[in-house]
Amino acid sequence: MTDILNALVLLSNFVLIPALSYGSQLALGALGVTLIYAVLRFSNFAHGDMMALGTMATIMITWGLHAMGVSFGPLPTALLALPFGILIAMAVALVTDRAVYRFYRKQRSAPVVFVMASVGVMFMYNAITRIFIGTGDQRFADGERFVLKVNEFKELTGLDQGLAIRTSQLITVVVMVAVVAFVFWFLQKTRTGKAMRAYSDNEDLALLSGINPDRVVRITWILAAALATIAGVLYGLDKSFRPFVYFQLLLPIFASAIVGGIGQPLGAIAGGFIVAFSEVMVTYAWKGFITLIVPADMAPEGLVQLLGTDYKFAVSFIILVVVLLVRPTGIFKGRVI
Amino acid sequence: MSFLAGTNMTGGYGAADILHDCTIAVDKGEIAVIVGPNGAGKSTAMKAVFGMLKLRQGSVTLDGRDITNLTPQDRVQSGMGFVPQTNNVFVNMSVEENLEMGAYIRDDDFSGTMDRVFDLFPILKEKRSQPAGQLSGGQRQQVAVGRALMTQPKVLMLDEPTAGVSPIVMDELFDNILEIAALGIAILMVEQNARQALNIADKGYVLVQGANRYTDTGEALMANPEVRKTFLGG
Ligand SMILES: Nc1ncnc2c1ncn2[C@@H]1O[C@H](COP(=O)(O)OP(=O)(O)OP(=O)(O)O)[C@@H](O)[C@H]1O
Ligand SMILES: [Mg+2]
């Protein structure tokens, strides 16, 4: 019996909790991608680097706050800097739209032209981020590191296996729930949110109803930039900030958006967790867990790890390929890309 | 001068003209019907009147005001409503949300107008929370017409409101249209079911290859042997 409990604790500590917080980060990233796709009708390849840029801005402001001697008690100071990081990201997104995408909208360019333009924007954001903060690893999480420490948990329960919950993980999940609730409330209940959905549903009819397309586009960029920055800062608090890693996050984020059904906000959330859990479970070494639940003589010799963590992106890639082959509309019947 | 008039309209989508010196007009409380073979330019004439097509020649006036250069959105503001032939509802949004989007430009309380739309189309009240994409063809057309009515337009333009619905539903829709006209709204519509439409029409336009072929009262067109033979199947 205690073995089973120990096994569950082990699983929670190494699979459930990490996947839950990673999934929240992907979900927020995918939500931004899916909103851009729903309204502007293209896959925004610059989203990963928008995350990096927003996070970079937040980190610089965090440093500034540190220099001024400001801190946020047990919580990371970056949370105080986050609203300013978001504002900077919003401004960058709006300026980019004005300077780049608006031109192609006027031309009524094909989606692939927008995608290519977004690749260009991606390199630009990329460069800006590196000019300001460099290419190296930045750890900017301060405050209390743990909500629950392994030792505390062991003392509390008397189990052999420990369970730790990091502050960043708890913050990630709480912020994700709040942000997702806000986005859904906004889309479902507010006049502006409904106009966004109407524009996404039927552009011509939205125009005939007097909905201002420029305003819808602006609000979409504002939302996407906020989501990108929040996702980026949460990921950075949880792990660390390195521009290249954020560029790589594009793959699992797109996999999440597409599994769920691109253009469907609910799908982006579901997709984020599907991809995160798949990735964590496939790269987890199951030896310890299996040893605890099977009789001693059946314990595995190897690590029972399906894929090394270095190959974790293969998981997103496989999910992406399988979904596009088997059910291109994704779980929630998004648009076919 | 009619309340809404497109006069001597010439224009098309690209280099070639589709409309040739085409004139269409309707007065308040009146129903004007445009009929003609497929590809005659009926939808194009509607788009031209609504400002979705650049005219090379001719003008559009509303209540004596020249609106030739207004955008479609501005025409909505000036009291025109348009139900396109295809893709005329927000399929992923509920019936109620479709109506709300129809009232998007209104800042006042539009619940009264919504109640009136529900009175006109009781089935929509029942299905108010259902996505419009899940409704039958006839119900969808009702949503489309209801959406356009939400701005309380003075002119309602309908492009084939009865396309793809059963004869019974068609009769119902025509009844609804008569009710709307009775409110004093000018109705300009394109119809494939020429006989039934001309029956309720005050004025009829037969378009052929983008030009007016016959223009008369609905009754006179129905009585005209040539029109009967060529366009109404005998
Ligand atoms: N968006 C467009 N771009 C270019 N040409 C078009 C476009 N829409 C229609 N046309 C052309 O304009 C002509 C008139 O089309 P229109 O749709 O006005 O006919 P219609 O009388 O409404 O026909 P139907 O009864 O089938 O609805 C056709 O030759 C058509 O090919
Ligand atoms: Mg037509």
Side-chain angles (χ1 to χ4, degrees):
Chain A
M1 187 58 208
T2 39
D3 274 354
I4 303 267
L5 278 180
N6 273 321
L8 285 178
V9 169
L10 186 69
L11 199 65
S12 303
N13 197 28
F14 289 103
V15 176
L16 190 65
I17 292 173
L20 216 54
S21 69
Y22 179 45
S24 304
Q25 291 145 13
L26 289 185
L28 289 175
L31 192 55
V33 164
T34 241
L35 285 180
I36 294 290
Y37 192 88
V39 173
L40 291 124
R41 300 188 168 76
F42 73 96
S43 305
N44 180 18
F45 275 58
H47 200 75
D49 280 287
M50 171 55 87
M51 279 169 66
L53 199 149
T55 310
M56 176 270 286
T58 307
I59 294 175
M60 309 277 272
I61 293 166
T62 307
W63 290 344
L65 289 174
H66 282 164
M68 282 157 39
V70 178
S71 82
F72 201 13
L75 294 173
T77 314
L79 286 187
L80 286 180
L82 180 58
F84 301 99
I86 290 175
L87 286 179
I88 291 173
M90 285 174 178
V92 170
L94 290 176
V95 168
T96 308
D97 185 70
R98 186 70 192 248
V100 180
Y101 300 117
R102 194 171 75 143
F103 172 79
Y104 295 104
R105 259 200 312 283
K106 282 220 166 129
Q107 310 267 310
R108 293 193 159 259
S109 300
V112 67
V113 175
F114 280 91
V115 173
M116 287 303 127
S118 82
V119 173
V121 170
M122 175 182 92
F123 285 124
M124 237 177 56
Y125 286 176
N126 211 308
I128 294 173
T129 306
R130 282 157 213 233
I131 287 172
F132 278 99
I133 208 166
T135 57
D137 221 7
Q138 310 289 347
R139 290 177 190 275
F140 58 101
D142 52 2
E144 201 64 57
R145 217 167 116 66
F146 288 97
V147 182
L148 182 66
K149 289 191 181 123
V150 171
N151 291 341
E152 289 172 355
F153 179 84
K154 282 185 183 168
E155 271 171 33
L156 215 67
T157 58
L159 291 171
D160 292 340
Q161 291 297 331
L163 182 76
I165 299 177
R166 279 185 283 130
T167 315
S168 61
Q169 292 170 326
L170 186 66
I171 291 175
T172 295
V173 174
V174 170
V175 169
M176 187 277 293
V177 169
V179 168
V180 167
F182 169 79
V183 170
F184 277 78
W185 169 81
F186 177 77
L187 290 176
Q188 298 296 328
K189 299 288 179 219
T190 65
R191 198 170 100 101
T192 307
K194 286 179 191 179
M196 246 175 90
R197 280 164 56 218
Y199 183 86
S200 155
D201 189 314
N202 189 334
E203 190 179 332
D204 292 329
L205 198 59
L207 295 179
L208 282 185
S209 306
I211 291 169
N212 179 352
D214 298 331
R215 183 155 174 274
V216 168
V217 168
R218 274 200 304 273
I219 303 232
T220 308
W221 281 117
I222 286 175
L223 273 179
L227 287 167
T229 307
I230 294 171
V233 169
L234 291 177
Y235 186 89
L237 281 175
D238 198 16
K239 306 201 167 79
S240 71
F241 173 77
R242 195 147 64 93
F244 184 65
V245 171
Y246 279 55
F247 160 74
Q248 285 184 324
L249 276 179
L250 207 55
L251 181 60
I253 283 176
F254 266 93
S256 307
I258 290 169
V259 177
I262 193 149
Q264 294 283 12
L266 205 57
I269 313 296
F273 287 104
I274 291 172
V275 170
F277 272 87
S278 311
E279 202 175 281
V280 173
M281 282 162 71
V282 168
T283 54
Y284 177 59
W286 290 87
K287 180 178 181 178
F289 178 74
I290 296 175
T291 309
L292 281 170
I293 55 166
V294 297
D297 53 336
M298 281 171 68
E301 278 174 23
L303 284 173
V304 203
Q305 185 182 22
L306 291 174
L307 215 56
T309 38
D310 287 347
Y311 293 100
K312 65 181 178 194
F313 286 115
V315 179
S316 303
F317 194 69
I318 291 166
I319 292 177
L320 200 56
V321 170
V322 170
V323 170
L324 288 177
L325 283 177
V326 178
R327 192 181 162 98
T329 56
I331 301 169
F332 288 92
K333 289 237 180 261
R335 291 164 206 261
V336 179
I337 303 193
Chain B
M1 194 71 180
S2 292
F3 184 66
L4 171 71
T7 315
N8 307 120
M9 298 182 295
T10 300
Y13 299 95
D17 287 339
I18 306 280
L19 297 177
H20 304 281
D21 211 19
C22 177
T23 294
I24 281 158
V26 62
D27 260 311
K28 279 191 167 180
E30 211 180 55
I31 299 179
V33 172
I34 306 174
V35 298
N38 290 116
K42 304 183 296 292
S43 297
T44 307
M46 294 285 266
K47 287 182 201 165
V49 171
F50 209 75
M52 297 158 84
L53 192 76
K54 204 148 178 57
L55 287 180
R56 275 203 313 112
Q57 275 166 40
S59 62
V60 184
T61 56
L62 179 72
D63 205 5
R65 183 163 77 108
D66 190 322
I67 57 165
T68 316
N69 295 318
L70 285 194
T71 61
Q73 288 92 292
D74 289 336
R75 291 180 206 221
V76 173
Q77 292 277 12
S78 319
M80 296 173 70
F82 183 38
V83 180
Q85 181 171 357
T86 50
N87 299 324
N88 51 22
V89 296
F90 297 110
V91 289
N92 295 314
M93 302 180 81
S94 72
V95 169
E96 196 169 348
E97 286 171 339
N98 266 272
L99 298 182
E100 281 174 37
M101 287 301 107
Y104 188 77
I105 58 166
R106 289 180 59 177
D107 290 323
D108 54 338
D109 178 21
F110 52 78
S111 56
T113 316
M114 195 179 284
D115 288 340
R116 233 159 299 133
V117 170
F118 285 145
D119 288 344
L120 199 59
F121 306 114
I123 187 75
L124 297 189
K125 186 163 192 169
E126 225 172 277
K127 310 235 170 201
R128 61 199 298 167
S129 326
Q130 246 187 56
Q134 289 177 6
L135 301 179
S136 72
Q139 291 163 352
R140 255 192 221 216
Q141 291 293 1
Q142 295 185 345
V143 174
V145 175
R147 185 201 61 81
L149 285 175
M150 287 303 292
T151 47
Q152 296 182 305
K154 289 175 261 178
V155 184
L156 183 60
M157 296 173 52
L158 307 164
D159 195 347
E160 301 203 18
T162 66
V165 307
S166 71
I168 300 174
V169 175
M170 182 179 80
D171 285 343
E172 275 176 22
L173 274 168
F174 279 153
D175 283 344
N176 294 143
I177 290 166
L178 280 169
E179 279 177 64
I180 297 168
L183 298 171
I185 296 174
I187 292 187
L188 177 61
M189 68 173 175
V190 172
E191 258 303 331
Q192 210 62 259
N193 301 298
R195 262 168 193 287
Q196 290 88 338
L198 287 176
N199 248 328
I200 63 164
D202 297 291
K203 214 191 277 172
Y205 294 91
V206 181
L207 283 198
V208 179
Q209 291 180 358
N212 296 89
R213 178 68 60 90
Y214 301 97
T215 305
D216 215 326
T217 62
E219 226 172 311
L221 285 176
M222 295 282 281
N224 184 328
E226 262 180 273
V227 175
R228 290 180 74 100
K229 193 159 79 54
T230 330
F231 301 105
L232 304 177

